[in-house]
Amino acid sequence: MDTMTSIPITRTRQSRITELDIDHLVFGATPTDHMFMAAFRDGGWQNPQIVPFGDLTISPLALGLHYGQTVFEGLKAYRTAAGHIHLFRPHRHHARLNRSLGRMGMPAVPEALFIDALHRLVELDQDWVPAKPGTSLYLRPLVIATEPRLGVKISEEYLFIVVGMPMADYYTGKLKVKVETRFSRAASGGTGAAKCGGNYGAAFYPAQQAKSGGFDQVLWTDATHHEFIEESGTMNIFFVIDGILITPPLSDSILDGVTRDSLLTLARAGGIPVEERKISYKALEKAFLSGKAIEAFGVGTAAMVSPIEVIDIMGKTYYPSVGPDALMYRLKNELQAIHTGTKKDSYYWNYIIQTVLQ
Ligand code: COI
């Protein structure tokens, strides 16, 4: 029996899929034909529907535009070798969405609504899930406060939207990053663990400064002492030192990354020593100075596993190992094989959407 939420669909009259250039995908620039929307009003989510992708109509007084009540997620759908579609760990993304919403004083999205919205949208726009190796359909659930009232208050109205777009690599080359000790991404007690829009907006200026110095991203340090490494822009951070996979422990200033958790799980299962522990930039520099081969990489849904080839620590340049036998590539390949169904999904991470095969 189909127990899914009933979601009315208004189909587009003119699909844009023939305009899609799969060999030249620009992240975020090619939305699929449709989007999901539901409204929160009178204390509940109402009117779920799938409509042609298009602009929203919200009041210029909408609270989310002024005071930052916006929360989002990012997850991916992959085409399997058999032609079906895998949504990767949607339940874990849902749980994080609700934690973020809670931190921002926004109403939870029921799990069934979240999963059904994704399922129905991906099913409808299934031709947009690319099969080319390294590509996927990126899905962006978003909740934004829409109550038209300028008072500084928690909104009583919201929109929950899901849009999708095919993507290839988020970062096309190996990354150059700079340890950031002037600006802060997130302070203890703040919103760092929430996937709220403000965290990203506040990071733009420091990232722009780093870019003008020739770097792709910053390596954030803790806001109190600017000593311990926390995240890189848009990614969780991992190091391999002495064969040990190291990542900073989760805290209220670090995003609980789904890719982070997946890699830790695969590494532990593969007998790789893992440490979730604080690592200071001074300890990292000491390890470089001792001549050890060190790997550094960022991980995230969009970024997947992105090798770092340069780290600037207080003006000195260090070069992590990025050779083809690096551990990060082994982990990346294993994760990719699970995404696309060429390796057994022992953890039931994939939510399978059966497609009607042509
Ligand atoms: C993701 O990896 O899904 C993100 O949300 C990071 C970035 C694209 C905003």
Side-chain angles (χ1 to χ4, degrees):
M1 197 180 70
D2 189 345
T3 54
M4 277 208 210
T5 319
S6 159
I7 303 178
I9 295 175
T10 309
R11 286 172 187 268
T12 182
R13 271 186 277 161
Q14 185 64 55
S15 172
R16 285 175 282 99
I17 196 147
T18 51
E19 295 164 21
L20 185 65
D21 181 356
I22 203 70
D23 296 318
H24 301 97
L25 290 171
V26 176
F27 180 78
T30 47
T32 66
D33 283 330
H34 299 91
M35 62 185 188
F36 170 89
M37 292 202 329
F40 184 91
R41 233 177 279 121
D42 304 326
W45 288 102
Q46 307 177 6
N47 197 20
Q49 54 178 319
I50 291 177
V51 294
F53 180 90
D55 293 345
L56 303 173
T57 302
I58 53 174
S59 166
L61 304 184
L63 285 167
L65 299 177
H66 299 269
Y67 308 122
Q69 268 191 309
T70 71
V71 156
F72 68 96
E73 268 301 318
L75 70 164
K76 282 178 174 172
Y78 296 91
R79 181 73 66 179
T80 71
H84 295 301
I85 295 170
H86 284 168
L87 273 185
F88 191 66
R89 306 190 76 179
H91 295 90
R92 195 173 173 99
H93 282 280
H94 169 259
R96 187 175 66 183
L97 175 75
N98 277 352
R99 288 199 301 279
S100 303
L101 290 169
R103 177 62 183 82
M104 298 301 289
M106 297 162 75
V109 171
E111 185 174 69
L113 181 65
F114 183 82
I115 299 292
D116 295 351
L118 291 165
H119 187 136
R120 290 299 189 216
L121 181 66
V122 171
E123 194 173 51
L124 181 64
D125 282 343
Q126 59 183 266
D127 292 346
W128 291 80
V129 183
K132 189 177 163 186
T135 64
S136 57
L137 181 74
Y138 183 81
L139 292 154
R140 172 54 64 86
L142 165 75
V143 183
I144 178 164
T146 51
E147 186 185 341
R149 198 176 127 181
L150 273 190
V152 182
K153 66 180 277 284
I154 289 181
S155 179
E156 286 174 29
E157 295 174 14
Y158 298 86
L159 271 181
F160 168 40
I161 302 158
V162 185
V163 293
M165 56 218 74
M167 70 170 284
D169 290 335
Y170 187 77
Y171 293 113
T172 46
K174 299 185 177 78
L175 301 177
K176 298 179 174 52
V177 302
K178 166 187 177 284
V179 170
E180 178 60 64
T181 54
R182 179 173 163 223
F183 299 106
S184 303
R185 174 185 173 273
S188 178
T191 59
K195 211 162 169 60
C196 58
N199 287 345
Y200 294 79
F204 286 154
Y205 179 71
Q208 187 186 46
Q209 296 289 300
K211 278 199 177 104
S212 64
F215 301 100
D216 300 295
Q217 273 298 349
V218 297
L219 209 45
W220 295 109
T221 50
D222 69 279
T224 313
H225 304 294
H226 287 299
E227 186 179 344
F228 293 100
I229 294 167
E230 297 218 311
E231 286 190 20
S232 186
T234 75
M235 301 176 289
N236 291 112
I237 182 79
F238 279 79
F239 301 100
V240 180
I241 305 176
D242 292 328
I244 303 169
L245 185 66
I246 301 167
T247 193
L250 293 177
S251 70
D252 61 0
S253 57
I254 293 184
L255 189 78
D256 180 0
V258 176
T259 311
R260 174 188 182 279
D261 179 77
S262 305
L263 288 189
L264 287 174
T265 303
L266 294 178
R268 288 189 172 111
I272 296 161
V274 169
E275 289 179 3
E276 289 180 69
R277 69 162 166 88
K278 289 187 171 199
I279 177 158
S280 67
Y281 73 79
K282 287 178 189 156
L284 181 65
E285 181 165 40
K286 204 167 151 201
F288 275 116
L289 289 172
S290 72
K292 290 180 197 222
I294 293 168
E295 287 179 42
F297 53 102
V299 314
T301 295
M304 200 20 196
V305 172
S306 293
I308 295 172
E309 65 177 359
V310 168
I311 302 183
D312 177 287
I313 304 179
M314 308 304 268
K316 297 213 182 82
T317 309
Y318 298 95
Y319 300 94
S321 319
V322 287
D325 53 352
L327 175 63
M328 63 184 151
Y329 296 122
R330 250 173 62 200
L331 292 170
K332 179 181 178 179
N333 291 342
E334 194 176 345
L335 185 57
Q336 271 178 331
I338 295 173
H339 287 156
T340 52
T342 55
K343 183 178 160 57
K344 185 166 178 247
D345 178 16
S346 311
Y347 306 99
Y348 302 99
W349 284 339
N350 291 315
Y351 174 101
I352 302 167
I353 299 177
Q354 304 275 349
T355 56
V356 181
L357 300 175
Q358 313 285 332

